[in-house]
Amino acid sequence: MKIVQKGLADYQPIFEAMKAFNLGRDEHTEDELWVVEHPPVFTQGLSGKPEHLLVRGNIPVVQIDRGGQITYHGPGQLVIYTMIDFKRRKTSVRHIVSAIENGIIATLAEYGIEATAEPKRPGVYVDRRKIASLGLRIKNGSVYHGLALNVDMDLSPFTHINPCGYAGMEMTQIADFINPCPTLAEVGEKLTAHLSTQLTPKEA
């Protein structure tokens, strides 16, 4: 699995690049993990409802084609887009979601943070506070979009929305548990390693 470092990048161009990658790939295309950090942006998924945006400020809102509802991306958050062939895995969407969640949980465990997944609420939680969100789209037999792990960021924009459609959802981040907090690059290296293990097709 190829790791692609995108750095700090505006959301819209990355979104367009994801769609183009998905459209242009074939059965020989190598799977990729795109590691990104975004300037402040709210993204509204296919099932998103306008009323879940509670405060209309200066942060742009982008309508996108992943599952789920509204979430926030911003500096200090690690975003990884999972550009993977779904057909190659011969598995279920639930299995892909669980593999991503397990990769996040294993990464947090390396920092002594005990995290869990909740079957009815996709994502990863620490003491019922959400530390990572995920949303996927499957098109042309392949997966794109991915996950966002809060590392060391300003969490206040999450109070401007109902995160992932849940009113009053409390958010947390790695920096709430570790001082000094590891860098985004360090966390990204660990997380991409775990995701590569979790998402590698069994027949590979």
Side-chain angles (χ1 to χ4, degrees):
M1 186 171 290
K2 183 178 180 181
I3 311 301
V4 181
Q5 300 290 340
K6 296 286 188 177
L8 179 64
D10 288 336
Y11 186 86
Q12 190 69 44
I14 295 292
F15 178 38
E16 297 301 330
M18 281 194 287
K19 291 188 291 184
F21 182 91
N22 178 274
L23 183 64
R25 71 178 301 160
D26 59 28
E27 67 272 18
H28 304 295
T29 303
E30 184 179 5
D31 291 338
E32 297 185 356
L33 297 176
W34 293 5
V35 183
V36 193
E37 183 182 15
H38 289 303
V41 63
F42 293 119
T43 62
Q44 182 78 283
L46 290 170
S47 57
K49 298 178 181 179
E51 59 266 31
H52 291 310
L53 176 62
L54 307 177
V55 178
R56 292 188 176 275
N58 297 324
I59 298 175
V61 180
V62 179
Q63 300 290 327
I64 58 173
D65 62 350
R66 62 159 168 76
Q69 301 194 43
I70 194 167
T71 193
Y72 170 71
H73 300 305
Q77 182 189 65
L78 177 64
V79 179
I80 299 181
Y81 295 118
T82 54
M83 316 298 290
I84 57 178
D85 188 322
F86 183 70
K87 299 191 300 295
R88 196 179 293 162
R89 279 150 180 79
K90 299 178 182 178
T91 187
S92 66
V93 176
R94 180 65 250 180
H95 180 83
I96 295 291
V97 169
S98 294
I100 294 171
E101 291 172 336
N102 290 339
I104 297 168
I105 290 168
T107 300
L108 293 172
E110 290 201 46
Y111 296 108
I113 300 171
E114 184 177 350
T116 58
E118 298 185 10
K120 294 183 179 180
R121 299 194 301 176
V124 174
Y125 301 81
V126 180
D127 296 329
R128 299 194 63 80
R129 293 180 293 166
K130 196 167 195 175
I131 195 168
S133 304
L134 63 94
L136 305 175
R137 174 74 190 271
I138 298 178
K139 187 175 182 179
N140 301 325
S142 298
V143 179
Y144 61 109
H145 292 290
L147 67 98
L149 172 61
N150 304 333
V151 178
D152 188 4
M153 63 186 300
D154 176 9
L155 294 175
S156 64
F158 283 106
T159 65
H160 299 176
I161 61 174
N162 291 330
C164 303
Y166 291 98
M169 171 73 72
E170 290 188 59
M171 307 298 292
T172 190
Q173 59 185 327
I174 292 176
D176 291 340
F177 303 94
I178 299 176
N179 186 17
C181 183
T183 66
L184 220 61
E186 179 186 328
V187 179
E189 183 176 353
K190 293 181 183 296
L191 182 51
T192 52
H194 284 294
L195 290 174
S196 295
T197 299
Q198 292 286 337
L199 293 170
T200 296
K202 292 182 180 179
E203 66 270 24

